[in-house]
Amino acid sequence: MSAEATNPEAHPEARPELRRRGRSRLDLRRLGRAALLGPTSRDRLPDAIGHVAEAHRAHHPDADMSILRRAYLLAESSHRGQMRKSGEPYITHPLAVTLILAELGAETTTLTASLLHDTVEDTDVTLDQVRAEFGDEVCFIVDGVTKVEKIDYGAAAEPETFRKMLVATGNDVRVMSIKLADRLHNMRTLGVMRPEKQARIAKVTRDVLIPLAERLGVQALKTELEDLVFAILHPEEYEGTRALIAAHAGERDPLPGIADSVRTVLREAGIGAEVQVRPRHFVSVHRIARSRGELRGSDFGRILVLVGENADCYAVLGELHTCFTPVVSEFKDFIATPKFNLYQSLHTAVATPEGYVAEVIVRTRQMHRVAEAGVVALGNPYATATPDATATPDAAADPDEERVDPTRPGWLSRLLDWQQSAPDPDTFWTVLRAELAQDREITVFRADGGTLGLPAGASCIDAAYAQHGEAAHGCIGARVNGRLTSLSSPLSDGDTVQLLLAQDASSGPSAEWLDHARTPAARIAISRWLESHPDRAMATTTAARAPLSVVGVRGGGANAVADLPDATVRLAGCCTPVPPDAVAGFLVRGGAVTVHRIQCAAVAQMRAVGRTSVAVHWRATADCRVTLLAESFGRPHLLADLTEAIAREGVEVVSATVEPPVEGRVRHTYTLQLPDAAGLPALMRAMRDVPGVYDVSRA
């Protein structure tokens, strides 16, 4: 199945790079009916699934075809006499769906279930019969697909239909694989339905199934579904794009010549590679035309380079950028940082001496298979040591026990979590579409070493609910990469986040959290809490923070001495240096010398404006003043406990400032007189040991 067919009506189901040499191109729309006209001997593989068997053997040469034969015979006999709305025998539908999956490389169990996916719903065949004949694994998948199909696809039922589909998919992604192939074949034959029904099905396909295909990495299905939806929902733009492609077909195409040049460069460099020209599909051409205006010949396709190893990908990239002029802005490395849907490739663009710009994709053959087939290429997630498709894995031994597909992507796990909390189908539908619109995912690390998968743009609030569930209502702050930050702070890929929970069980979120929550789980949980606490929802929970009042020592330099006779020495209040800090002095107005720690940002500013530098050293006396910031959870008697801890260390409190609480957190500023600067680390440890205090730092 090609992910980039230039004509969606042609539907080139067989991918050239995956077909055996000499194998003919297949037309799935005509395959089933034509095959049924041939002989169907009961003592050999039926001719009707000969193409399915051939496609399956191309990926799995040692597959047991007898299982497919038995599945086809049961499906054909069960559906005998049933017709599709197009007038074709109904068996053509499961055959076409199965061939789609076979071309993608699905394993035998998936193909067996695909042949049988409508038998339990539409015929007298029962799940017990399927289990007895084909084993628990096939039965489990057929049951999952049946549960999806039992709901009427009316406008009101659509949200609940897809909720059930997600639940079934979460247990085994092969259920979704069959559902996507089923929808693709139905979209191909949608012309027999009324225009309004075509539009409704196309909209649902656009809003949910195409994003799901993208997230499962099944690009071969996704791109053809896009073209079919495009033709139904935007017929005028579709015809305009068709005219563009038809006009290009009559012109000289520069891409084959560029591909020949790439082959020559790689051959001379000793890199074994297969170079192909990949035509863009209709929607891709339409998008390029809208963004670039007038199209040139090289805009109608891309060059694909397939190699054997990961290292060869970068070798190809080096040769391309050496022998052609690279377009640096077009370079993307999805090998080092794969997409959330398993996709890996190098993307670049090169300019030729003739002025053409050609986009180039470089990947290994295994990457190509995964890029086309996504989760279908992962095979059976419950495979046992033996290749027997009817073997019963441990996960399926108890039909009442929930099992989780080990290949299930993180985003799908999140969907399954929050869909249970969605209060009604309309909310579920709205949030589902918003979630699927997120096309990029980030990974952040938890303080305990685990990871969280979140959509791009997620904040600390989203991380809190992803990690702690409803306990995140009491979250009051976070550390990101070791630095304290607010819950509204957005996260980046690779960040380490430590979430801080309040000790007060009555703590809860504010309405402002909804402005920063991106994940459905967080938004639904916050909304439900606010609905159950209307008094808190109406109140303003974030108090304005008073200006930070740091009391520095500007009247004297304590035990700091400047190498400038009779100069007044002042310790900077911005960084409060103490012995044995490395310091720098600068001459300011009035002939005074202000002393900063070397790390203070003011040092660079002083030098930038040309302030005179003055050497400064510490006296032998050890006493000093310092300003400390303490951040804590709000609780009674906190100020008393902190000042008591300071007094136990023999330190004098010169001044103290306590700011209004913000999101349950309190910030204290202390200016302290220490008898010995060496006691500063012990003092800070003593303050951190006070219950509720989670950070003490120098001002």
Side-chain angles (χ1 to χ4, degrees):
M1 165 116 14
S2 173
E4 301 184 7
T6 54
N7 186 350
E9 294 185 354
H11 301 307
E13 287 78 14
R15 289 180 293 166
E17 67 277 6
L18 296 178
R19 295 196 309 268
R20 289 181 176 178
R21 182 167 298 180
R23 186 172 160 197
S24 61
R25 190 176 294 273
L26 305 178
D27 186 341
L28 283 174
R29 293 172 298 172
R30 302 185 180 90
L31 169 66
R33 190 166 190 174
L36 285 175
L37 298 178
T40 53
S41 172
R42 298 291 178 178
D43 59 354
R44 61 185 179 86
L45 195 68
D47 291 345
I49 59 169
H51 288 299
V52 173
E54 183 182 359
H56 189 37
R57 286 195 182 98
H59 295 276
H60 305 278
D62 300 326
D64 182 2
M65 296 298 167
S66 64
I67 300 171
L68 290 180
R69 175 184 180 277
R70 288 189 284 117
Y72 169 76
L73 292 177
L74 177 59
E76 191 275 333
S77 60
S78 302
H79 290 297
R80 191 173 298 159
Q82 296 179 350
M83 307 296 288
R84 305 192 78 218
K85 290 185 178 180
S86 60
E88 296 175 322
Y90 193 88
I91 189 61
T92 61
H93 173 65
L95 272 172
V97 172
T98 305
L99 181 57
I100 290 171
L101 294 169
E103 289 288 350
L104 289 173
E107 37 76 49
T108 308
T109 303
T110 303
L111 300 185
T112 304
S114 176
L115 284 169
L116 301 170
H117 78 270
D118 279 336
T119 55
V120 174
E121 179 186 4
D122 296 336
T123 73
D124 294 332
V125 175
T126 66
L127 283 174
D128 289 338
Q129 287 178 276
V130 174
R131 181 181 291 109
E133 182 72 17
F134 301 99
D136 287 336
E137 196 72 11
V138 172
C139 178
F140 187 92
I141 299 173
V142 171
D143 185 36
V145 179
T146 302
K147 288 176 180 177
V148 173
E149 297 295 345
K150 277 185 177 179
I151 305 298
D152 176 42
Y153 276 82
E158 199 70 75
E160 192 60 28
T161 297
F162 282 96
R163 187 198 292 263
K164 293 189 176 185
M165 181 176 63
L166 283 173
V167 173
T169 300
N171 291 331
D172 197 320
V173 293
R174 291 173 293 180
V175 173
M176 178 59 75
S177 301
I178 295 174
K179 176 60 186 174
L180 288 172
D182 175 85
R183 176 56 67 97
L184 175 57
H185 184 246
N186 285 335
M187 287 292 295
R188 289 172 176 172
T189 57
L190 210 57
V192 299
M193 296 185 177
R194 299 187 308 275
E196 59 271 18
K197 189 169 185 179
Q198 291 184 38
R200 181 179 62 79
I201 294 176
K203 287 177 181 178
V204 174
T205 304
R206 176 197 63 193
D207 293 341
V208 176
L209 283 172
I210 288 176
L212 282 174
E214 167 75 15
R215 291 194 164 219
L216 292 171
V218 194
Q219 294 295 321
L221 301 186
K222 178 234 178 186
T223 51
E224 188 176 345
L225 284 172
E226 280 185 328
D227 284 347
L228 292 166
V229 167
F230 183 41
I232 293 172
L233 297 183
H234 306 281
E236 294 182 0
E237 295 179 359
Y238 173 82
E239 289 300 327
T241 305
R242 178 204 289 275
L244 276 177
I245 294 175
H248 167 69
E251 300 174 354
R252 176 183 173 274
D253 188 350
L255 284 177
I258 299 174
D260 288 338
S261 299
V262 171
R263 291 188 189 96
T264 301
V265 166
L266 298 182
R267 183 169 58 250
E268 292 176 353
I271 302 174
E274 179 182 350
V275 181
Q276 305 174 9
V277 174
R278 301 269 290 181
R280 293 184 184 274
H281 62 105
F282 269 47
V283 171
S284 180
V285 172
H286 176 67
R287 289 171 181 160
I288 293 293
R290 291 185 62 182
S291 63
R292 300 180 186 175
E294 184 177 354
L295 298 182
R296 304 189 65 188
S298 58
D299 292 330
F300 287 86
R302 293 184 288 188
I303 293 176
L304 174 67
V305 180
L306 299 178
V307 294
E309 303 292 339
N310 287 19
D312 295 335
C313 295
Y314 293 97
V316 169
L317 184 70
E319 292 297 326
L320 292 176
H321 285 189
T322 300
C323 300
F324 299 90
T325 302
V327 181
V328 179
S329 61
E330 296 294 324
F331 173 67
K332 298 180 181 67
D333 187 346
F334 295 117
I335 295 179
T337 55
K339 290 185 178 182
F340 60 86
N341 60 0
L342 310 176
Y343 181 87
Q344 288 183 287
S345 291
L346 294 178
H347 287 211
T348 189
V350 295
T352 67
E354 295 79 16
Y356 292 110
V357 175
E359 294 184 30
V360 184
I361 300 174
V362 185
R363 58 175 70 135
T364 66
R365 291 174 178 83
Q366 175 59 22
M367 290 176 190
H368 182 60
R369 182 184 174 211
V370 174
E372 294 285 286
V375 294
V376 178
L378 299 180
N380 184 355
Y382 302 99
T384 56
T386 61
D388 182 5
T390 63
T392 303
D394 295 338
D398 185 356
D400 297 326
E401 180 181 350
E402 181 182 0
R403 67 177 187 175
V404 176
D405 188 340
T407 64
R408 186 166 79 190
W411 61 264
L412 181 54
S413 296
R414 293 199 306 273
L415 285 182
L416 292 168
D417 290 339
W418 68 255
Q419 67 85 20
Q420 297 177 1
S421 304
D424 57 78
D426 290 336
T427 300
F428 163 76
W429 185 246
T430 301
V431 178
L432 172 64
R433 292 173 61 182
E435 168 75 358
L436 292 177
Q438 299 284 345
D439 61 354
R440 197 166 65 85
E441 187 172 87
I442 63 173
T443 299
V444 298
F445 297 92
R446 294 167 21 178
D448 59 7
T451 61
L452 296 172
L454 299 169
S459 66
C460 295
I461 293 173
D462 299 303
Y465 283 94
Q467 181 173 348
H468 296 293
E470 293 192 355
H473 293 330
C475 196
I476 59 173
R479 290 179 183 275
V480 177
N481 302 326
R483 298 178 64 87
L484 197 66
T485 186
S486 66
L487 286 174
S488 61
S489 299
L491 295 168
S492 300
D493 198 34
D495 281 347
T496 298
V497 59
Q498 177 187 2
L499 300 161
L500 308 173
L501 301 181
Q503 297 173 331
D504 184 1
S506 64
S507 298
S510 70
E512 294 179 354
W513 285 22
L514 290 173
D515 296 334
H516 306 288
R518 296 292 179 267
T519 58
R523 295 186 62 83
I524 290 174
I526 295 168
S527 298
R528 292 177 65 181
W529 191 92
L530 293 174
E531 289 172 2
S532 62
H533 298 78
D535 53 331
R536 296 288 296 274
M538 297 298 295
T540 301
T541 58
T542 304
R545 171 174 284 187
L548 182 61
S549 176
V550 178
V551 182
V553 184
R554 297 186 180 275
N559 48 1
V561 179
D563 293 347
L564 190 65
D566 301 324
T568 301
V569 178
R570 298 175 180 172
L571 300 181
C574 57
C575 58
T576 60
V578 299
D581 291 342
V583 292
F586 296 93
L587 192 63
V588 296
R589 290 189 184 95
V593 175
T594 180
V595 180
H596 296 264
R597 281 191 280 166
I598 290 293
Q599 298 89 346
C600 181
V603 171
Q605 297 173 1
M606 290 286 191
R607 290 172 176 163
V609 298
R611 294 290 187 185
T612 303
S613 178
V614 178
V616 180
H617 64 274
W618 298 107
R619 286 196 182 98
T621 56
D623 64 308
C624 67
R625 285 192 178 187
V626 66
T627 300
L628 298 179
L629 302 180
E631 300 203 53
S632 65
F633 303 111
R635 67 171 179 84
H637 310 297
L638 178 61
L639 181 59
D641 292 345
L642 269 170
T643 53
E644 182 181 351
I646 293 171
R648 284 199 302 266
E649 296 298 317
V651 176
E652 177 187 354
V653 179
V654 178
S655 66
T657 302
V658 180
E659 300 179 16
V662 176
E663 295 182 348
R665 294 178 294 155
V666 182
R667 190 177 188 184
H668 308 249
T669 304
Y670 297 94
T671 299
L672 308 171
Q673 184 73 35
L674 278 70
D676 188 345
L680 181 58
L683 170 65
M684 296 175 71
R685 284 195 298 270
M687 294 174 68
R688 290 191 185 102
D689 288 340
V690 174
V693 177
Y694 56 82
D695 192 28
V696 177
S697 60
R698 297 273 295 276

